[in-house]
Amino acid sequence: MLQRLRESKSAQGTILALPTTIWLFVLLIIPLILTMVVSFGRRSPDGGVIYTFTLDNYTRLFGYSTDCPDGQASCFDPLYVNILGRSLSLAFNTTLLVITLAYPLAYFIARAHPKQRNFYLFMVLIPLWTNFVIRVYAWMMLLRKEGAINIILGWLMNLLHIPFAPLEMLYTPGAVLVGMVYEFLPFMILPIYTSLEKIETPLYEAAADLGANAIKTFLRVTLPLSMPGVVAGTILVFIPVMGTFIVSDILGGRQVILVGNLIQRQFLDARDPTFGSAASLILMVMTLIVTYFYTRKFGFGEEIVVA
Amino acid sequence: MTSEFAVEMRDVVKRFITPEGNEMAAVDHVTMQIKNGEFFSMLGSSGCGKTTSLRMVAGFEWPTEGEVYIEGKAMGHTPPFQRKVNTVFQSYALFQHMTVYQNLAFGLEMEGAKDDEIKKRVGRALEMVQLTGMDRRRPRQLSGGQQQRVALARALVKTPDVLLLDEPLGALDLKLRKEMQLELKALQQQLGITFIYVTHDQEEALTMSDRIAVMSKGKVQQMGTPVEVYERPSNKFVADFIGESNFLAGKIKSISGNEASVFIPSLNAELAGMPISDGLVKGEEVNVCIRPEKIRIAEKEAVNQNMFRATVTNTVYIGVDTKVFVDAHGAKLKIWEQNRISRLDPKSFYTVGQEVWLMLMPENTLILKKD
Ligand SMILES: Nc1ncnc2c1ncn2[C@@H]1O[C@H](COP(=O)(O)OP(=O)(O)OP(=O)(O)O)[C@@H](O)[C@H]1O
Ligand SMILES: [Mg+2]
């Protein structure tokens, strides 16, 4: 038996993959199946699940409503579709903004003197030592009507004798965007930095030697060689932004509701786990579809991960 | 081509601040004139400033003092992309995100060449380095030798006036290296481009070069043809660095015409009829230099004035030669005896302890100033 095991490569592979397989099964596959089963169920009056097979939760999510004005039997209610769309566009915008901010920063760090580089990287990482939620609350303190930003602005305007009414910044889509960008910036800076830092100096010299000026060198050599970092960062940012509910909860209040908030409320406030499950699955499918097309075009940035 | 010299370095100094905060001259008052169409090598041990010199010609570094001229034009702070020289990097520095074709096309696109012209020129360059058909591969999918050729072709496709090569064969195995040496030399002759070639391998430099600059500690020790630097090294460093040499300390006893007699204390003998170079005076302390393959060894004394008794201390058989180490009155010498006869018979070897006679032919010796 042992002898055969030693000879059979595929048997060895199976055994080596066993712990991972069990782990995946217990923590991923089973919960996923449960979610799916629940999403096809119906909410019981006391907030439990009646196990049947109905697509009601899904049709409701996509706008089918029986609670209509004018006594119609059914009509289209865009509430949830809007939430899905808002989440998707926010995730796109956040990712784009994060790339725009992170790339120059990463470039600056990668080109800095090696002694200073570690210091800058340290600065990028410091915020991550504070709890996610606390960092979001800090933004609340900054953006509030009586918050730091308004106080400073008011003081400045007063100095310039310009009448000033405190800005309404909190509980706006802009506040959520700012919060998201802030939270996920390091996850873009680090992979881009890694890929930039891996580009060896002789490559820049070779480009110059072959007649490329600084701009052409950047466009033809630096940028393409750092794309794996951008790709890896995009995946690291886009997926969590799609799902998170804390930032929008604290900085968006009732104004900016995302899928994450919807799901959370179904489980905790509305006590409808079946609708919450359906929303979770739709969120997952949406994320998967976007990621699928993205990685098919750009890969996973595996050069970064492998290095 | 307007100037006689493709590249000229006039009294160039390059100083670096070391991480420890000291100033050091990596290149120290170097003057070189490299003729059009010449295969010129910079040869020297690690850290002697070869790469730094080359990088100043390419424009990656600027001289602290002095000036680099290309085609007679002072380069000043001209950036690399405006110099009509191209470099083959030691690490190849190929663009991994591009195919072989794109790597070669890059330099032509920067010149603004048209697509069909690029295609023609890239095709020709690939043919030149025997890589036709490899144009769609990525550099990673090529062997070391093939990558080396891509690096070469990428520089050559730009048809530079001067090609700079920094130890381009350093990463290849010995056999491939030797093949590439001959190929490079043939290519250079065929194209008529000036090559400035950096190497620390003396055999490579001797094999390929029209002229060699032997460098040490940022200074040029000697510049000359391979024959000149080997047969007439201008100082002890060159004599020692290129090939091997025996050195005997001595003192000039007398000079008549262009011949001198030198007294060698360790042999307790005088070497007569030695050719003398300029600037040596009677009574001067000198080094007498003899190449190991130029000492004749005999079992019996012959009638000759420059013959000495010696005892064999060791012999090493290395195929082509037998290395014979002897002790002559306390002076340790090495002699390479070519194995012109089959040495299968053990008696054909010199044995340790055997008494032999050494003959130093005056025309094969060199009197060098004491450093
Ligand atoms: N950017 C730099 N900063 C400080 N010192 C440098 C720098 N570049 C080179 N040096 C120093 O200058 C000296 C000459 O370096 P160089 O690279 O020219 O040597 P080399 O002859 O090419 O040696 P090798 O055969 O090892 O490549 C070395 O002592 C090196 O440490
Ligand atoms: Mg070097």
Side-chain angles (χ1 to χ4, degrees), chain A residues 112-141:
Chain A
H113 192 277
K115 275 187 198 148
Q116 285 150 15
R117 250 184 248 165
N118 283 338
F119 173 73
Y120 293 138
L121 286 175
F122 183 68
M123 298 292 279
V124 170
L125 289 174
I126 279 186
L128 297 183
W129 294 359
T130 312
N131 183 287
F132 189 95
V133 182
I134 293 175
R135 279 182 286 147
V136 186
Y137 269 112
W139 272 103
M140 192 167 121
M141 296 300 165

Side-chain angles (χ1 to χ4, degrees), chain B residues 234-236 277-281 284-287 367-371:
Chain B
S234 58
N235 58 36
K236 194 176 170 193
S277 51
D278 297 340
L280 291 169
V281 293
E284 195 169 343
E285 303 270 350
V286 292
N287 273 311
I367 304 176
L368 299 174
K369 258 190 181 15
K370 198 130 205 157
D371 308 292

Side-chain angles (χ1 to χ4, degrees), chain B residues 124-139:
Chain B
R124 228 181 299 138
L126 284 175
E127 202 176 312
M128 204 149 57
V129 296
Q130 296 159 34
L131 281 177
T132 309
M134 298 280 190
D135 43 357
R136 296 174 129 210
R137 297 241 194 136
R138 302 250 163 188

Side-chain angles (χ1 to χ4, degrees), chain B residues 13-269:
Chain B
V13 178
K14 178 69 191 182
R15 290 201 189 87
F16 286 117
I17 308 292
T18 62
E20 299 80 40
N22 307 317
E23 202 176 72
M24 61 93 72
V27 173
D28 196 0
H29 296 283
V30 163
T31 296
M32 291 183 196
Q33 283 151 343
I34 297 148
K35 293 181 210 128
N36 279 310
E38 190 171 35
F39 196 122
F40 187 91
S41 292
M42 294 187 209
L43 173 66
S45 50
S46 188
C48 72
K50 308 177 294 283
T51 298
T52 308
S53 302
L54 202 69
R55 288 169 61 82
M56 284 190 284
V57 177
F60 302 133
E61 311 270 5
W62 293 323
T64 319
E65 289 171 26
E67 186 67 274
V68 174
Y69 298 80
I70 297 177
E71 297 296 334
K73 274 201 283 291
M75 281 295 117
H77 288 188
T78 309
F81 58 89
Q82 285 167 4
R83 299 188 183 204
K84 199 132 177 51
V85 300
N86 286 109
T87 309
V88 178
F89 292 84
Q90 177 166 14
S91 56
Y92 308 150
L94 297 175
F95 303 126
Q96 298 293 346
H97 60 295
M98 299 181 192
T99 61
V100 169
Y101 183 91
Q102 289 166 332
N103 265 279
L104 265 64
F106 183 87
L108 298 176
E109 284 164 17
M110 293 302 129
E111 287 172 13
K114 298 229 163 49
D115 278 352
D116 46 342
E117 190 199 337
I118 291 177
K119 207 168 163 191
K120 224 186 306 163
R121 283 169 72 179
V122 170
R124 228 181 299 138
L126 284 175
E127 202 176 312
M128 204 149 57
V129 296
Q130 296 159 34
L131 281 177
T132 309
M134 298 280 190
D135 43 357
R136 296 174 129 210
R137 297 241 194 136
R138 302 250 163 188
R140 249 189 268 280
Q141 298 165 322
L142 298 173
S143 73
Q146 288 166 334
Q147 290 182 30
Q148 204 284 318
R149 287 159 199 264
V150 176
L152 183 66
R154 187 179 65 175
L156 282 177
V157 79
K158 299 262 297 175
T159 56
D161 297 334
V162 181
L163 190 68
L164 309 175
L165 304 101
D166 190 358
E167 308 206 23
L169 307 179
L172 307 181
D173 67 57
L174 191 64
K175 193 156 177 298
L176 192 57
R177 232 183 131 115
K178 301 228 151 159
E179 281 171 28
M180 284 299 296
Q181 285 171 9
L182 299 177
E183 270 181 44
L184 268 178
K185 174 76 187 168
L187 200 63
Q188 187 263 341
Q189 283 171 338
Q190 177 198 329
L191 296 173
I193 295 178
T194 310
F195 273 38
I196 305 183
Y197 192 96
V198 161
T199 178
H200 61 255
D201 181 338
Q202 43 149 316
E203 202 181 316
E204 189 164 290
L206 292 172
T207 307
M208 306 171 78
S209 319
D210 296 322
R211 277 196 312 148
I212 301 172
V214 184
M215 296 180 68
S216 165
K217 299 197 185 116
K219 291 194 167 71
V220 175
Q221 299 293 328
Q222 184 174 2
M223 212 169 338
T225 64
V227 172
E228 279 164 8
V229 294
Y230 188 80
E231 301 290 346
R232 286 284 175 270
S234 58
N235 58 36
K236 194 176 170 193
F237 173 84
V238 178
D240 209 23
F241 187 75
I242 310 236
E244 290 190 55
S245 291
N246 292 296
F247 295 104
L248 296 165
K251 194 172 184 172
I252 297 184
K253 269 302 260 256
S254 63
I255 296 180
S256 64
N258 45 14
E259 286 187 357
S261 268
V262 179
F263 180 71
I264 312 284
S266 60
L267 292 177
N268 193 25

